[in-house]
Amino acid sequence: MKFTWFNLMPWPYLPDDFREKYRSVWVDIPNTLYDPKKGHYVYHEYMDQLEYAESLGYDGIGCNEHHQNGYGLMPSPNIIAAGLARRTSKAAIAVIGNSIALYNPPIRVAEEFAMLDVISGGRLLAGFPVGTSMDTNYCYGQIPGLTRDKYAEAHDLIMRAWQSDEPFAFDGKYNQLRYVNIWPKPIQQPHPPIYIPGGGSIETWDFCVEHDYNYSYLSFTGYLRGKKLLDGYWERVAKYGKDESPYRAAFAQTICVAETDQEAEKLYAEHVSYFYNRCLHIYGGFADAPGYRTIKTLQANILNALSADVQKLFPTLTWKQLLDEGYVIAGSPETVRQRMEELIKGLRVGHIFCLIHVGNMPDWKTRYSTKLFAEKVMPHLRNMWPEWKDDNRWWCKPMDERLHPEEGVEKARQDGRIPL
Amino acid sequence: MTSRTIATARGASVRVFEAGSGAPLIFLHGAGGLFADNPFLDRLAERYHVFAPELPGYGESTGDALLEDMLDFALHGWDVVTALGLTKPHLMGHSMGGMIAAEMACIAPHDLAKLVLVSSAGLWIPEYPIPDIFSFLPHEFAQYLFVDRAQGEAVLTGGLDLNNPDALAQFYIANSRRLSMASKILFPIPNRRLSKRLYRLTAPTLIVWGRQDRLIPPVYAERFRTLIPHAELIYVDQAAHMVPYEQPTEFVAAVSHFLG
């Protein structure tokens, strides 16, 4: 098992009456609610937590991309990743990811991801989300009915750019480039491992299987919905005749660990409530632009995770329901271990993106929960897929002689690691 | 009205509603498509040979993926005219259909008889932003489109019971397909620079607008008239965006008077 510590980077100062007063945490949230001076400390606290997670032995540390969003302060996850790449040396840097249909031209992603891979010494996990409808259509103005087509073209361009040894001309529908010639190229060859976070579109399953990309989903809307999507994915894997390595899939899970189940509720319930009631308070009209999902997906009745119906549900969820229905895994290390085992086996996943900082959780609670999970839960879950223990196809392959934060380039030069 | 399906040279399959006889009149529907009842078309068919094609993505017309941008939409319009074997038809478009009809007329100004733009999309005035129909929840449309909200609900749902989950799902899928198509020329801002091309219009032009239009307010009618100097502008009272459905009698009278 691989565990990646993720921080969505929510704004922790949304007012108590946020839900009543404003229609959406995303897209048209008043930016007067953001205070840049407080934001200075928020970024540093969150980045410190990511570095702390590395020190506790998490395999990866992760960030993602959202726009105009009160629960995701990373319009450019690459900036966060660049900071992490300089201050860490062991953990994978999981950027899950860059919404490649939004970059013009998309070789910007090929370039920045290559920079991150080179700076980090080959530790990048490269995520290519289509992006939510809120981000992609409403914030970044992409035409819903053409978003997937543009995404597909961006994907082809980036992959070719990374792997080509010669400049080439690209005559795309959305991008015309006379000279594609990536400098720098990534350390990981032929390319860093690719992760595709799914939002519930059935086309994504086939795309992942065909290209052998990791498929990931998340727990915001409970275990059952996650199970439905992962089951659909595994069905496609079987249909294509591919092996069933659990490392083909990842799941992002909200996790809260304390000494006891009671303590977990006492410490964390308010922050989980903040997340579900304020951070996921999204105007229904922004959840799913017409054409963002294909008719095939709509007919398959895979409702959008953040549709108006689901929205109505969130404020009614009690702590017990959140736990029983697998939105959140919380409790003592033993409780969490049991639930995680069920989850890992039930969904057949080899990667967990651990969402341990939740909503407006203060730093000390975040670190407390993070440490308990690392020390008292993770070790018991490490070997859940013994038959696949050597399968590193979806993990980064860093260079052995890479720099560590505590040493400088001069040290590497003295050691003779730099060929001069 | 009767309907038949025609194939365009590009490969789209288009259902065309048809009625009447006389001078050919093409009606291009708005982003919501044709509704179950379109009484103004029946009345116009008393004087004209009315053709109402459904855009790919709407009703039974297919070939959605063949149309990607404004030029595709405009040329598709002429492909339909060709497939119907018509010469110099009148073009009339409502809302998004007005935008398409205007583009068609800019591309081939001598290939039409007269042009009627009804509550037409296609322009953007920063001081008067048009509400974002792509973020509307189903119950929000009527208040922008109709003076009489109850009438609006009835027309928009076509009598479907939206409390029935299956009916709602069907409506949702069809609506998503329609607006996905519309998004190609209307999203995120319904402006594909028509204003740069309107100088090319030579056909006599009528602009019809509802005085109470809350979606594309009357200031846009004035802007169209400024950009098409020879155009005639008529306002209809007690009508919002859906003028032909809200005030069919006055609407048909104005159009008939203009077309002759």
Side-chain angles (χ1 to χ4, degrees):
Chain A
M1 286 300 300
K2 299 281 191 201
F3 297 92
T4 293
W5 198 95
F6 233 85
N7 196 328
L8 299 172
M9 301 203 173
W11 182 244
Y13 304 111
L14 297 174
D16 292 345
D17 59 356
F18 179 75
R19 207 183 167 83
E20 292 74 42
K21 229 166 147 184
Y22 306 100
R23 72 170 184 173
S24 190
V25 76
W26 212 331
V27 183
D28 62 357
I29 177 175
N31 69 10
T32 46
L33 293 177
Y34 185 79
D35 176 344
K37 287 182 178 160
K38 283 183 181 161
H40 172 75
Y41 300 104
V42 170
Y43 273 130
H44 282 277
E45 183 168 290
Y46 288 166
M47 291 174 79
D48 286 349
Q49 289 166 2
L50 283 153
E51 291 165 16
Y52 175 67
E54 184 200 51
S55 75
L56 293 174
Y58 286 84
D59 304 283
I61 46 181
C63 51
N64 67 350
E65 172 176 338
H66 285 309
H67 300 275
Q68 303 172 198
N69 181 334
Y71 85 74
L73 297 175
M74 291 180 282
S76 173
N78 300 353
I79 290 176
I80 301 297
L84 298 175
R86 286 271 298 167
R87 301 259 296 246
T88 60
S89 62
K90 300 185 287 288
I93 308 279
V95 185
I96 312 292
N98 283 186
S99 303
I100 55 178
L102 302 183
Y103 293 79
N104 186 19
I107 49 167
R108 179 79 185 191
V109 174
E111 291 172 338
E112 289 193 6
F113 271 179
M115 286 176 69
L116 285 171
D117 201 47
V118 172
I119 294 170
S120 69
R123 289 184 288 136
L124 180 72
L125 306 181
F128 292 160
V130 172
T132 66
S133 194
M134 290 72 89
D135 291 315
T136 307
N137 306 131
Y138 293 104
C139 296
Y140 263 42
Q142 300 302 310
I143 292 171
L146 300 175
T147 300
R148 280 166 207 282
D149 195 38
K150 194 174 178 205
Y151 172 90
E153 181 179 309
H155 163 266
D156 294 348
L157 172 55
I158 291 167
M159 297 310 284
R160 201 173 148 198
W162 271 344
Q163 295 174 70
S164 174
D165 288 330
E166 287 176 10
F168 63 90
F170 188 84
D171 179 25
K173 199 191 292 179
Y174 307 95
N175 306 277
Q176 287 189 313
L177 298 165
R178 195 64 188 81
Y179 305 100
V180 180
N181 187 24
I182 295 300
W183 275 81
K185 291 176 74 166
I187 286 176
Q188 298 184 83
Q189 289 296 321
H191 56 77
I194 308 295
Y195 283 65
I196 312 290
S201 286
I202 58 178
E203 289 78 10
T204 308
W205 298 332
D206 285 4
F207 180 72
C208 290
V209 180
E210 278 165 19
H211 292 89
D212 283 322
Y213 295 158
N214 178 288
Y215 176 73
S216 55
Y217 196 65
L218 45 69
S219 70
F220 290 176
T221 47
Y223 175 81
L224 279 182
R225 190 184 296 269
K227 170 98 176 124
K228 190 172 164 189
L229 285 160
L230 266 299
D231 282 354
Y233 171 62
W234 288 117
E235 247 171 59
R236 300 307 297 174
V237 171
K239 211 158 255 174
Y240 275 75
K242 300 267 180 154
D243 67 76
E244 294 198 316
S245 169
Y247 292 103
R248 287 184 181 279
F251 196 70
Q253 178 63 50
T254 305
I255 302 168
C256 306
V257 197
E259 285 299 339
T260 64
D261 292 355
Q262 293 75 12
E263 191 196 25
E265 180 172 1
K266 194 171 145 242
L267 286 180
Y268 307 124
E270 60 177 299
H271 309 300
V272 169
S273 164
Y274 178 96
F275 182 72
Y276 276 97
N277 283 291
R278 297 182 217 180
C279 296
L280 291 186
H281 175 58
I282 300 159
Y283 178 61
F286 293 145
D288 193 5
Y292 168 72
R293 290 185 301 155
T294 62
I295 297 299
K296 205 170 135 197
T297 291
L298 293 176
Q299 283 166 341
N301 195 25
I302 295 174
L303 290 177
N304 188 309
L306 297 171
S307 71
D309 289 348
V310 181
Q311 274 285 305
K312 278 185 213 141
L313 190 67
F314 287 150
T316 69
L317 293 168
T318 62
W319 176 253
K320 185 171 180 316
Q321 274 174 308
L322 286 164
L323 267 53
D324 288 350
E325 293 170 27
Y327 291 76
V328 173
I329 289 182
S332 69
E334 178 54 20
T335 302
V336 171
R337 182 190 64 76
Q338 284 175 18
R339 296 303 305 268
M340 287 300 296
E341 276 187 14
E342 290 162 21
L343 171 91
I344 289 163
K345 284 290 180 195
L347 301 179
R348 193 175 177 83
V349 290
H351 303 272
I352 297 292
F353 298 146
C354 307
L355 305 173
I356 294 183
H357 175 276
V358 184
N360 59 348
M361 193 181 283
D363 188 56
W364 72 268
K365 290 188 194 177
T366 307
R367 286 172 184 256
Y368 178 65
S369 183
T370 299
K371 190 161 191 278
L372 281 172
F373 187 82
E375 291 177 351
K376 299 195 173 172
V377 182
M378 229 155 65
H380 301 287
L381 303 173
R382 277 287 178 204
N383 197 28
M384 289 201 50
W385 303 107
E387 66 278 34
W388 296 99
K389 71 177 166 49
D390 297 323
D391 187 4
N392 287 319
R393 283 175 291 173
W394 289 275
W395 202 246
C396 59
K397 290 150 193 83
M399 55 191 259
D400 294 332
E401 62 279 25
R402 66 188 180 276
L403 290 168
H404 296 272
E406 61 279 7
E407 59 183 11
V409 178
E410 189 50 39
K411 169 85 164 43
R413 193 173 279 122
Q414 285 163 11
D415 295 348
R417 276 188 278 161
I418 294 177
L420 270 184
Chain B
M1 297 188 101
T2 60
S3 73
R4 60 183 160 125
T5 301
I6 57 168
T8 68
R10 192 196 284 257
S13 171
V14 175
R15 179 166 69 173
V16 182
F17 291 89
E18 183 177 356
S21 59
L25 168 62
I26 305 260
F27 173 73
L28 302 180
H29 60 72
L34 290 168
F35 296 102
D37 293 312
N38 306 281
F40 65 99
L41 291 180
D42 300 324
R43 292 200 209 170
L44 284 167
E46 291 165 14
R47 295 182 64 160
Y48 308 98
H49 192 165
V50 175
F51 299 88
E54 285 178 313
L55 193 65
Y58 287 73
E60 289 180 14
S61 295
T62 58
D64 316 17
L66 297 172
L67 308 184
E68 293 176 327
D69 58 20
M70 195 65 242
L71 183 60
D72 287 346
F73 277 60
L75 294 178
H76 167 80
W78 284 120
D79 288 349
V80 170
V81 172
T82 303
L84 288 169
L86 304 176
T87 47
K88 284 204 116 175
H90 297 305
L91 294 184
M92 176 165 84
H94 175 223
S95 195
M96 174 181 77
M99 180 182 188
I100 298 169
E103 290 281 6
M104 288 171 69
C106 292
I107 286 172
H110 307 298
D111 289 355
L112 66 153
K114 293 184 178 178
L115 176 66
V116 182
L117 302 177
V118 188
S119 328
S120 183
L123 302 179
W124 182 261
I125 306 172
E127 297 78 21
Y128 300 94
I130 298 167
D132 178 15
I133 59 165
F134 296 96
S135 72
F136 284 177
L137 296 173
H139 68 269
E140 290 178 315
F141 283 93
Q143 61 188 308
Y144 287 98
L145 301 182
F146 288 83
V147 168
D148 177 353
R149 200 167 157 176
Q151 185 208 1
E153 306 278 1
V155 172
L156 293 174
T157 57
L160 265 180
D161 174 14
L162 293 187
N163 293 317
N164 171 342
D166 287 341
L168 183 64
Q170 262 183 19
F171 176 80
Y172 182 67
I173 289 173
N175 189 53
S176 181
R177 181 167 170 245
R178 289 190 292 261
L179 288 186
S180 168
M181 200 61 195
S183 79
K184 293 176 186 176
I185 56 172
L186 300 180
F187 192 93
I189 304 280
N191 176 11
R192 297 296 186 265
R193 311 290 172 230
L194 173 63
S195 59
K196 288 200 314 190
R197 296 181 281 276
L198 285 173
Y199 76 91
R200 289 175 51 84
L201 292 189
T202 49
T205 301
L206 174 69
I207 301 163
V208 184
W209 226 272
R211 269 199 204 282
Q212 286 84 27
D213 194 337
R214 291 187 57 205
L215 187 71
I216 309 183
V219 61
Y220 281 87
E222 302 292 340
R223 182 59 60 90
F224 267 108
R225 183 160 62 177
T226 308
L227 292 166
I228 315 170
H230 62 279
E232 187 184 327
L233 168 60
I234 287 179
Y235 286 113
V236 178
D237 258 327
Q238 288 308 303
H241 191 65
M242 302 301 277
V243 190
Y245 294 88
E246 297 179 274
Q247 299 297 344
T249 307
E250 202 179 335
F251 175 75
V252 168
V255 171
S256 303
H257 179 75
F258 170 72
L259 293 180

